[in-house]
Amino acid sequence: MVIAFVLFWILVAVAVFFAAMHGGARGARASLHRESRTGNRLILLGVVVLFAFGIAVPAVVLASNSSHKAAVASGGVHLTAREIKGRELFARSCAVCHTLQAVRSVGRTGPNLDVRVGEQISTPAGRTALVESAIAEGRARGLGQMPALLYQGKEAKDVAEFVAAVAGH
């Protein structure tokens, strides 16, 4: 499919090149006055076809990329609806300070969660508990201080589940 698409555009480019080079400017002016009605219609048809391809190709590309990919995180981890919400919340408040590959954050103040949560704690329940604890209590280690209760209730749980799911992947 891709090869056929590329080959088609190469053929169009070659045809345009030879049409442009046929007789130079003088030949183009002379042939303009000699062309038949059929020739003019073919040229118009060619322009319309090229215009249609110019609209259709980007539309096909956009349509093929339109599948909902929000549920896919780095490392091929598939996220639940709560984890997707947690990713949004994490990106809003936590990504400034913390490093986490899943949201492409490179914070310098807080710990690298890929290492701290992802590699040092082996169970998902333990990871979730650590993150929930940090959100509820805050932390005063390292270069700064994480305030307590950045998120509460369901939002805190969503962020904790997201971090537990993706840390270290």
Side-chain angles (χ1 to χ4, degrees), residues 54-92:
I55 301 265
V57 169
V60 168
V61 169
L62 288 173
S64 68
N65 286 333
S66 68
S67 64
H68 189 61
K69 296 179 182 173
V72 178
S74 66
V77 176
H78 290 280
L79 303 176
T80 65
R82 292 185 69 171
E83 291 167 347
I84 292 170
K85 181 65 177 167
R87 176 175 51 194
E88 293 168 6
L89 295 170
F90 183 92
R92 189 177 318 143

Short mmCIF file of all heavy atoms in Angstrom, two decimals, residues 54-92:
data_model
loop_
_atom_site.label_atom_id
_atom_site.label_comp_id
_atom_site.label_asym_id
_atom_site.label_seq_id
_atom_site.Cartn_x
_atom_site.Cartn_y
_atom_site.Cartn_z
N GLY A 54 -4.93 15.48 -2.52
CA GLY A 54 -4.39 16.38 -1.49
C GLY A 54 -5.29 16.49 -0.28
O GLY A 54 -4.83 16.74 0.83
N ILE A 55 -6.59 16.30 -0.48
CA ILE A 55 -7.54 16.32 0.64
C ILE A 55 -7.71 14.91 1.21
O ILE A 55 -7.77 14.73 2.43
CB ILE A 55 -8.92 16.84 0.17
CG1 ILE A 55 -8.78 18.24 -0.39
CG2 ILE A 55 -9.96 16.73 1.25
CD1 ILE A 55 -9.06 19.36 0.52
N ALA A 56 -7.78 13.90 0.35
CA ALA A 56 -8.09 12.55 0.79
C ALA A 56 -6.96 11.92 1.59
O ALA A 56 -7.20 11.24 2.59
CB ALA A 56 -8.43 11.67 -0.41
N VAL A 57 -5.71 12.12 1.18
CA VAL A 57 -4.59 11.47 1.86
C VAL A 57 -4.47 11.94 3.31
O VAL A 57 -4.41 11.11 4.23
CB VAL A 57 -3.28 11.67 1.07
CG1 VAL A 57 -2.08 11.24 1.88
CG2 VAL A 57 -3.35 10.91 -0.24
N PRO A 58 -4.47 13.26 3.60
CA PRO A 58 -4.43 13.65 5.02
C PRO A 58 -5.66 13.17 5.80
O PRO A 58 -5.55 12.82 6.96
CB PRO A 58 -4.39 15.19 4.97
CG PRO A 58 -3.86 15.51 3.63
CD PRO A 58 -4.32 14.42 2.72
N ALA A 59 -6.83 13.14 5.14
CA ALA A 59 -8.03 12.66 5.83
C ALA A 59 -7.89 11.19 6.21
O ALA A 59 -8.27 10.80 7.32
CB ALA A 59 -9.25 12.86 4.94
N VAL A 60 -7.34 10.38 5.32
CA VAL A 60 -7.14 8.96 5.62
C VAL A 60 -6.13 8.79 6.75
O VAL A 60 -6.32 7.98 7.66
CB VAL A 60 -6.69 8.19 4.36
CG1 VAL A 60 -6.19 6.81 4.69
CG2 VAL A 60 -7.83 8.13 3.36
N VAL A 61 -5.05 9.57 6.73
CA VAL A 61 -4.05 9.49 7.79
C VAL A 61 -4.65 9.88 9.13
O VAL A 61 -4.45 9.21 10.14
CB VAL A 61 -2.82 10.37 7.45
CG1 VAL A 61 -1.90 10.51 8.64
CG2 VAL A 61 -2.08 9.79 6.26
N LEU A 62 -5.41 10.96 9.15
CA LEU A 62 -6.05 11.39 10.40
C LEU A 62 -7.05 10.35 10.89
O LEU A 62 -7.13 10.08 12.09
CB LEU A 62 -6.73 12.74 10.21
CG LEU A 62 -5.79 13.93 10.07
CD1 LEU A 62 -6.58 15.18 9.71
CD2 LEU A 62 -5.01 14.15 11.34
N ALA A 63 -7.81 9.77 9.98
CA ALA A 63 -8.80 8.77 10.38
C ALA A 63 -8.13 7.53 10.95
O ALA A 63 -8.61 6.93 11.91
CB ALA A 63 -9.68 8.40 9.19
N SER A 64 -6.99 7.13 10.38
CA SER A 64 -6.32 5.94 10.88
C SER A 64 -5.64 6.18 12.22
O SER A 64 -5.39 5.24 12.97
CB SER A 64 -5.30 5.42 9.86
OG SER A 64 -4.23 6.33 9.75
N ASN A 65 -5.35 7.43 12.53
CA ASN A 65 -4.73 7.75 13.81
C ASN A 65 -5.74 8.17 14.86
O ASN A 65 -5.36 8.58 15.95
CB ASN A 65 -3.71 8.88 13.64
CG ASN A 65 -2.46 8.41 12.96
OD1 ASN A 65 -2.10 7.26 13.04
ND2 ASN A 65 -1.79 9.32 12.28
N SER A 66 -7.01 8.07 14.56
CA SER A 66 -8.01 8.61 15.47
C SER A 66 -8.41 7.66 16.59
O SER A 66 -9.18 8.03 17.44
CB SER A 66 -9.26 9.00 14.68
OG SER A 66 -9.89 7.84 14.17
N SER A 67 -7.91 6.44 16.56
CA SER A 67 -8.29 5.52 17.63
C SER A 67 -7.82 6.08 18.97
O SER A 67 -6.79 6.71 19.08
CB SER A 67 -7.70 4.13 17.39
OG SER A 67 -6.30 4.20 17.43
N HIS A 68 -8.60 5.83 19.97
CA HIS A 68 -8.35 6.41 21.29
C HIS A 68 -7.12 5.76 21.91
O HIS A 68 -7.15 4.59 22.29
CB HIS A 68 -9.57 6.20 22.18
CG HIS A 68 -9.51 6.92 23.46
ND1 HIS A 68 -9.43 8.28 23.54
CD2 HIS A 68 -9.51 6.48 24.72
CE1 HIS A 68 -9.38 8.65 24.81
NE2 HIS A 68 -9.43 7.57 25.55
N LYS A 69 -6.05 6.51 22.00
CA LYS A 69 -4.79 5.96 22.49
C LYS A 69 -4.43 6.47 23.88
O LYS A 69 -3.32 6.30 24.34
CB LYS A 69 -3.67 6.29 21.51
CG LYS A 69 -3.89 5.63 20.16
CD LYS A 69 -2.82 5.97 19.19
CE LYS A 69 -3.13 5.32 17.85
NZ LYS A 69 -2.24 5.71 16.82
N ALA A 70 -5.37 7.11 24.55
CA ALA A 70 -5.09 7.63 25.88
C ALA A 70 -4.85 6.52 26.89
O ALA A 70 -4.22 6.74 27.92
CB ALA A 70 -6.24 8.52 26.35
N ALA A 71 -5.34 5.34 26.61
CA ALA A 71 -5.21 4.24 27.57
C ALA A 71 -3.87 3.53 27.47
O ALA A 71 -3.62 2.60 28.22
CB ALA A 71 -6.33 3.23 27.35
N VAL A 72 -2.99 3.97 26.57
CA VAL A 72 -1.69 3.32 26.43
C VAL A 72 -0.63 4.23 27.04
O VAL A 72 -0.53 5.39 26.70
CB VAL A 72 -1.37 3.05 24.95
CG1 VAL A 72 0.00 2.43 24.81
CG2 VAL A 72 -2.43 2.17 24.33
N ALA A 73 0.13 3.68 27.94
CA ALA A 73 1.22 4.43 28.58
C ALA A 73 2.55 3.87 28.10
O ALA A 73 2.60 2.91 27.33
CB ALA A 73 1.10 4.32 30.10
N SER A 74 3.63 4.45 28.56
CA SER A 74 4.95 3.97 28.16
C SER A 74 5.15 2.55 28.64
O SER A 74 4.58 2.12 29.63
CB SER A 74 6.04 4.88 28.74
OG SER A 74 6.04 4.79 30.15
N GLY A 75 5.96 1.83 27.91
CA GLY A 75 6.24 0.44 28.26
C GLY A 75 5.10 -0.50 27.89
O GLY A 75 5.08 -1.64 28.31
N GLY A 76 4.13 -0.01 27.11
CA GLY A 76 3.02 -0.85 26.69
C GLY A 76 1.99 -1.11 27.78
O GLY A 76 1.16 -1.99 27.64
N VAL A 77 2.02 -0.35 28.86
CA VAL A 77 1.07 -0.53 29.95
C VAL A 77 -0.27 0.06 29.51
O VAL A 77 -0.34 1.18 29.03
CB VAL A 77 1.57 0.20 31.23
CG1 VAL A 77 0.55 0.11 32.33
CG2 VAL A 77 2.89 -0.36 31.67
N HIS A 78 -1.34 -0.73 29.67
CA HIS A 78 -2.68 -0.25 29.36
C HIS A 78 -3.31 0.27 30.64
O HIS A 78 -3.35 -0.44 31.65
CB HIS A 78 -3.52 -1.37 28.73
CG HIS A 78 -3.05 -1.71 27.35
ND1 HIS A 78 -3.39 -0.96 26.26
CD2 HIS A 78 -2.24 -2.68 26.91
CE1 HIS A 78 -2.81 -1.47 25.19
NE2 HIS A 78 -2.10 -2.53 25.55
N LEU A 79 -3.81 1.49 30.58
CA LEU A 79 -4.34 2.15 31.77
C LEU A 79 -5.85 2.01 31.86
O LEU A 79 -6.54 1.98 30.84
CB LEU A 79 -3.98 3.64 31.73
CG LEU A 79 -2.50 3.98 31.63
CD1 LEU A 79 -2.31 5.48 31.51
CD2 LEU A 79 -1.74 3.44 32.82
N THR A 80 -6.33 1.97 33.08
CA THR A 80 -7.77 2.00 33.33
C THR A 80 -8.24 3.45 33.26
O THR A 80 -7.42 4.38 33.18
CB THR A 80 -8.10 1.43 34.72
OG1 THR A 80 -7.53 2.30 35.71
CG2 THR A 80 -7.57 0.01 34.88
N ALA A 81 -9.53 3.65 33.31
CA ALA A 81 -10.08 5.01 33.27
C ALA A 81 -9.57 5.83 34.46
O ALA A 81 -9.26 7.02 34.32
CB ALA A 81 -11.60 4.97 33.26
N ARG A 82 -9.48 5.20 35.62
CA ARG A 82 -8.99 5.92 36.81
C ARG A 82 -7.52 6.29 36.65
O ARG A 82 -7.09 7.36 37.07
CB ARG A 82 -9.19 5.06 38.06
CG ARG A 82 -10.66 4.89 38.42
CD ARG A 82 -10.82 4.16 39.70
NE ARG A 82 -10.34 5.02 40.78
CZ ARG A 82 -10.50 4.75 42.06
NH1 ARG A 82 -11.11 3.66 42.42
NH2 ARG A 82 -10.03 5.57 42.98
N GLU A 83 -6.74 5.38 36.07
CA GLU A 83 -5.32 5.67 35.87
C GLU A 83 -5.12 6.77 34.83
O GLU A 83 -4.19 7.58 34.95
CB GLU A 83 -4.58 4.39 35.47
CG GLU A 83 -4.51 3.38 36.60
CD GLU A 83 -4.08 2.00 36.16
OE1 GLU A 83 -4.05 1.71 34.95
OE2 GLU A 83 -3.77 1.18 37.04
N ILE A 84 -5.99 6.82 33.82
CA ILE A 84 -5.92 7.91 32.84
C ILE A 84 -6.18 9.25 33.53
O ILE A 84 -5.49 10.23 33.30
CB ILE A 84 -6.91 7.67 31.68
CG1 ILE A 84 -6.48 6.47 30.85
CG2 ILE A 84 -7.04 8.91 30.81
CD1 ILE A 84 -7.50 6.01 29.85
N LYS A 85 -7.18 9.28 34.39
CA LYS A 85 -7.47 10.50 35.17
C LYS A 85 -6.29 10.82 36.09
O LYS A 85 -5.91 11.99 36.22
CB LYS A 85 -8.76 10.30 35.99
CG LYS A 85 -9.15 11.49 36.80
CD LYS A 85 -9.51 12.67 35.94
CE LYS A 85 -9.98 13.83 36.81
NZ LYS A 85 -10.05 15.07 36.08
N GLY A 86 -5.69 9.80 36.68
CA GLY A 86 -4.52 10.01 37.52
C GLY A 86 -3.35 10.59 36.74
O GLY A 86 -2.61 11.43 37.25
N ARG A 87 -3.19 10.16 35.49
CA ARG A 87 -2.12 10.72 34.65
C ARG A 87 -2.35 12.21 34.42
O ARG A 87 -1.42 13.01 34.50
CB ARG A 87 -2.05 9.98 33.31
CG ARG A 87 -1.02 10.59 32.37
CD ARG A 87 -0.81 9.83 31.10
NE ARG A 87 -2.06 9.55 30.41
CZ ARG A 87 -2.16 8.70 29.43
NH1 ARG A 87 -1.13 8.01 29.01
NH2 ARG A 87 -3.32 8.50 28.84
N GLU A 88 -3.59 12.59 34.16
CA GLU A 88 -3.91 14.01 33.96
C GLU A 88 -3.61 14.82 35.21
O GLU A 88 -3.03 15.90 35.14
CB GLU A 88 -5.37 14.17 33.56
CG GLU A 88 -5.70 13.59 32.20
CD GLU A 88 -7.21 13.49 31.95
OE1 GLU A 88 -8.00 13.98 32.79
OE2 GLU A 88 -7.58 12.91 30.92
N LEU A 89 -4.01 14.28 36.36
CA LEU A 89 -3.77 14.98 37.63
C LEU A 89 -2.27 15.06 37.93
O LEU A 89 -1.78 16.10 38.39
CB LEU A 89 -4.52 14.27 38.76
CG LEU A 89 -6.05 14.30 38.67
CD1 LEU A 89 -6.66 13.36 39.70
CD2 LEU A 89 -6.57 15.72 38.84
N PHE A 90 -1.55 13.97 37.69
CA PHE A 90 -0.11 13.96 37.91
C PHE A 90 0.57 15.01 37.04
O PHE A 90 1.43 15.76 37.51
CB PHE A 90 0.48 12.57 37.62
CG PHE A 90 1.95 12.47 37.90
CD1 PHE A 90 2.40 12.05 39.13
CD2 PHE A 90 2.90 12.83 36.94
CE1 PHE A 90 3.76 11.97 39.41
CE2 PHE A 90 4.25 12.75 37.20
CZ PHE A 90 4.68 12.33 38.45
N ALA A 91 0.19 15.07 35.77
CA ALA A 91 0.80 16.02 34.85
C ALA A 91 0.52 17.46 35.30
O ALA A 91 1.36 18.35 35.11
CB ALA A 91 0.28 15.80 33.43
N ARG A 92 -0.62 17.69 35.90
CA ARG A 92 -1.00 19.04 36.32
C ARG A 92 -0.21 19.52 37.54
O ARG A 92 0.23 20.66 37.59
CB ARG A 92 -2.49 19.09 36.64
CG ARG A 92 -3.00 20.48 36.87
CD ARG A 92 -4.49 20.57 37.12
NE ARG A 92 -5.27 19.71 36.25
CZ ARG A 92 -6.35 19.04 36.64
NH1 ARG A 92 -6.79 19.15 37.87
NH2 ARG A 92 -7.01 18.27 35.80
#
